[in-house]
Amino acid sequence: MAAETPARAAPRRELTLFDSTSLIVGIIIGAGIYQTAPDVARGAASGWGVLGLWAAGGLLSLCGALGYAELAAAYPREGGDYVYLTRAYGPAAGFLFGWIQLAVVRPGDIAVNVAKTKHLTNHRANTVDDSVRLTTP
């Protein structure tokens, strides 16, 4: 009996342009647009300045998304940033990227979100009208 070698499974291309665009828009909106927009508006000179900054940010996001689309088309392997960094700078860069993501970036994201949640919870608890506070018997 000869051993059969399994064929290398390639990533399935199931996302459409609409799917990909929706993911990017969701990430951008979820990244804090509701918390940072007032700060941007305060820093802009006028309403047109706010719209200009918004358009410039959208253009930069589009450039980043198109760059990732080019990389994904050129190197259609699973792994994302790890694959691109390993290909461009060698295995050490990919290895460091993976460990930095595991040890620093992802825990940092979690810590920031926990701190935001605690801050917003405390802020809302202190601004609630006394007439709507629930008391235990």
Side-chain angles (χ1 to χ4, degrees):
M1 271 170 95
E4 293 182 23
T5 58
R8 178 164 164 81
R12 291 182 303 212
R13 297 179 182 176
E14 294 182 6
L15 291 179
T16 64
L17 177 62
F18 178 76
D19 296 334
S20 303
T21 304
S22 297
L23 282 170
I24 297 299
V25 168
I27 290 168
I28 291 169
I29 289 174
I33 191 170
Y34 297 112
Q35 290 139 357
T36 58
D39 296 332
V40 171
R42 273 193 290 275
S46 66
W48 288 108
V50 173
L51 290 176
L53 290 171
W54 179 78
L59 227 96
L60 286 172
S61 296
L62 178 63
C63 290
L66 291 174
Y68 267 101
E70 284 292 324
L71 286 169
Y75 308 110
R77 294 184 14 218
E78 49 285 310
D81 291 336
Y82 170 80
V83 171
Y84 311 143
L85 289 170
T86 300
R87 176 90 177 167
Y89 303 112
F95 177 81
L96 286 174
F97 171 79
W99 278 102
I100 288 171
Q101 286 288 316
L102 178 70
V104 178
V105 175
R106 300 301 177 196
D109 289 344
I110 294 168
V112 167
N113 286 325
V114 167
K116 280 184 189 178
T117 303
K118 284 185 178 182
H119 171 73
L120 290 174
T121 304
N122 290 337
H123 177 69
R124 287 190 180 131
N126 293 334
T127 58
V128 173
D129 185 13
D130 285 333
S131 63
V132 293
R133 288 190 191 271
L134 297 176
T135 59
T136 57

